[in-house]
Amino acid sequence: MSRRPPATLQVTFDGLQREQLQPRWIDQVGGMEAYVFDGRELADEKAWALLRSNLQHAQGLGAEPLTAHFPTDNADWVNEDALFRTLLRFCDVAAEGGAEGVVLHANQFVDLEDWPRYDLPAARARVVDKLAELDDHLDGSPLWIGVENMPMIGSAGIDFDSVFVRPADFDGLAALRSPRIGVTWDVCHWAVTYSMLRAVAHLDQEEPPVHPLDLPIAPVRHIHFGSFTGHAMPYWTSDCFEGSPPQDGDFDQDLLAAMLAGAIRASVPGTSVVLEVQEQDYQDRQACWDTRAWIETMPVLAGLVSTGKPA
């Protein structure tokens, strides 16, 4: 039994849709994470005001912890100055709305045909340089930033956002030595990555180049959790569905639970776990509660997660 405080659960809601923010979700898990999916959704002042209002409303309902997720689509904050300013404003609004952290993807999408010539180390260095600028902007802010690991290829197998995939990819974040900049460790994405690397290594009669319980040396500030079905591979007509409850996913459930347990133990105190599973109806959630029930059945997770009030 771990002596550390158990991690709190969170569920997601669209930060621009108040109807997805219901008191009963908070009563049942404790925390919320507000997503904005597309950078174009923040094109006018009404959207900014709505995001700030919804965050404040979630805080008023008792959401703890409360976090926010910066857009992934049309949001290249690394190479476009206007979108970097959008990121700075997003962080400021998140703090004003009572959020304690912001989840951030690298958002460096590369098409399949361009990938063989893409300079990945240079791209990673550019992202880290921009994170240093963000860190300077946040000096004195209560926010942390959790940079999320991504799978090796997008879920349709046609593009890449693979700046941060393996734990070693985050070494540059650790070198920043920032009290704010850390990792959002997505267990589903890591399970997808590990299963692909293990399969390729097996075909080559080699050992996998990573261990399933590997983690970054940069501080894990936040955790996303779910499972997946299917795999996306270049030039194959197949998709990977991310966000299935563990008991419905393709990945070994005991190993998935061990991955989550390891991430919690290695994380900073007060870490929360977002149940990042897809729902058919976000006003009548089922996948979240199925995932929470699964967590309660896994012995390796006993005492590590506070699963809130019963549904």
Side-chain angles (χ1 to χ4, degrees):
M1 183 72 69
S2 173
R3 295 181 181 179
R4 61 178 291 139
T8 305
L9 295 181
Q10 294 176 268
V11 296
T12 64
F13 74 101
D14 188 320
L16 301 179
Q17 294 191 34
R18 176 69 65 91
E19 61 270 21
Q20 289 189 11
L21 185 58
Q22 298 188 25
R24 56 185 171 140
W25 307 152
I26 297 169
D27 289 343
Q28 289 172 340
V29 295
M32 302 290 289
E33 180 155 289
Y35 275 71
V36 178
F37 292 95
D38 194 312
R40 294 173 297 190
E41 294 182 87
L42 297 174
D44 59 61
E45 291 301 316
K46 289 182 180 179
W48 286 107
L50 181 58
L51 175 62
R52 181 184 293 106
S53 173
N54 285 345
L55 286 168
Q56 291 172 340
H57 182 62
Q59 184 186 43
L61 291 174
E64 186 177 349
L66 176 63
T67 55
H69 197 306
F70 186 70
T72 54
D73 295 341
N74 300 295
D76 183 356
W77 55 274
V78 177
N79 296 303
E80 298 184 34
D81 290 342
L83 287 167
F84 184 65
R85 292 192 294 272
T86 298
L87 172 59
L88 299 183
R89 185 176 183 184
F90 187 90
C91 290
D92 292 343
V93 168
E96 293 165 9
E100 63 181 50
V102 168
V103 177
L104 185 61
H105 293 193
N107 291 352
Q108 301 301 290
F109 293 99
V110 183
D111 289 339
L112 183 62
E113 59 269 22
D114 296 326
W115 181 250
R117 295 170 298 281
Y118 187 65
D119 191 338
L120 187 55
R124 191 173 295 126
R126 287 194 298 272
V127 175
V128 172
D129 285 346
K130 274 296 183 181
L131 287 170
E133 290 185 43
L134 175 60
D135 190 38
D136 288 341
H137 174 81
L138 294 175
D139 188 26
S141 169
L143 282 180
W144 50 256
I145 301 295
V147 182
E148 185 172 341
N149 61 301
M150 302 302 292
M152 298 178 69
I153 192 169
S155 59
I158 59 173
D159 61 9
F160 300 79
D161 181 15
S162 304
V163 174
F164 299 107
V165 174
R166 308 184 194 201
D169 295 344
F170 290 92
D171 288 356
L173 268 66
L176 291 175
R177 298 186 181 276
S178 167
R180 287 169 290 275
I181 307 293
V183 178
T184 291
W185 190 246
D186 189 302
V187 176
C188 173
H189 290 166
W190 178 237
V192 171
T193 298
Y194 173 71
S195 63
M196 292 177 71
L197 290 171
R198 180 177 59 181
V200 171
H202 186 78
L203 291 172
D204 289 337
Q205 295 183 304
E206 298 175 351
E207 291 297 317
V210 295
H211 188 275
L213 303 185
D214 284 347
L215 289 163
I217 61 171
V220 175
R221 304 300 308 253
H222 194 49
I223 298 169
H224 284 177
F225 182 69
S227 189
F228 66 91
T229 59
H231 273 97
M233 295 289 286
Y235 309 113
W236 285 57
T237 55
S238 60
D239 291 350
C240 178
F241 175 82
E242 299 172 7
S244 68
Q247 57 269 56
D248 299 332
D250 290 345
F251 197 74
D252 179 86
Q253 295 181 40
D254 289 332
L255 184 53
L256 193 72
M259 287 176 169
L260 176 57
I264 293 171
R265 290 193 181 99
S267 64
V268 301
T271 300
S272 55
V273 177
V274 179
L275 302 181
E276 200 175 48
V277 289
Q278 295 192 39
E279 300 281 3
Q280 292 186 355
D281 183 351
Y282 282 85
Q283 296 183 59
D284 183 21
R285 299 172 189 253
Q286 299 298 323
C288 285
W289 315 138
D290 290 345
T291 303
R292 185 185 64 178
W294 177 88
I295 288 172
E296 292 174 334
T297 69
M298 303 307 291
V300 72
L301 294 169
L304 290 176
V305 184
S306 174
T307 54
K309 300 176 182 178

